[in-house]
Amino acid sequence: MCIGATAARALKTVLQGILLSSEGEKLNSMNLLLYMAPIAVILLLPATIFMEDNVVGITIELAKKDILVPYYRYLKVSL
């Protein structure tokens, strides 16, 4: 698992370097974040749902008990 994480981090760093230094299209760091964030969500959300035991069910149960739980989650994600 650690080797896979290290390889993924290295791939991300190389990809960022290529995108930021491209002669044809110059990207700043905020535009790069705009392009990389959806890809990260697409890759990490299924892994999180698979690895965390019943995370969706727990979240739904908490939301039934306290109506503000979804808003707390959105606030946490936005930070």
Side-chain angles (χ1 to χ4, degrees):
M1 186 105 164
C2 186
I3 294 172
T6 304
R9 176 67 184 175
L11 177 65
K12 178 181 172 267
T13 303
V14 169
L15 182 61
Q16 284 177 341
I18 291 170
L19 289 173
L20 288 173
S21 66
S22 174
E23 293 294 327
E25 182 180 349
K26 282 294 196 181
L27 288 176
N28 60 24
S29 58
M30 290 305 290
N31 284 340
L32 181 63
L33 180 63
L34 177 71
Y35 292 130
M36 297 291 279
I39 296 169
V41 169
I42 289 169
L43 292 175
L44 293 175
L45 188 62
T48 302
I49 291 172
F50 176 73
M51 289 183 195
E52 295 290 332
D53 189 31
N54 198 19
V55 70
V56 176
I58 292 170
T59 304
I60 291 171
E61 286 299 319
L62 288 173
K64 287 179 182 176
K65 292 179 185 175
D66 185 5
I67 192 71
L68 295 177
V69 168
Y71 298 109
Y72 296 148
R73 287 209 166 284
Y74 295 137
L75 179 65
K76 180 182 172 188
V77 169
S78 67
L79 296 176

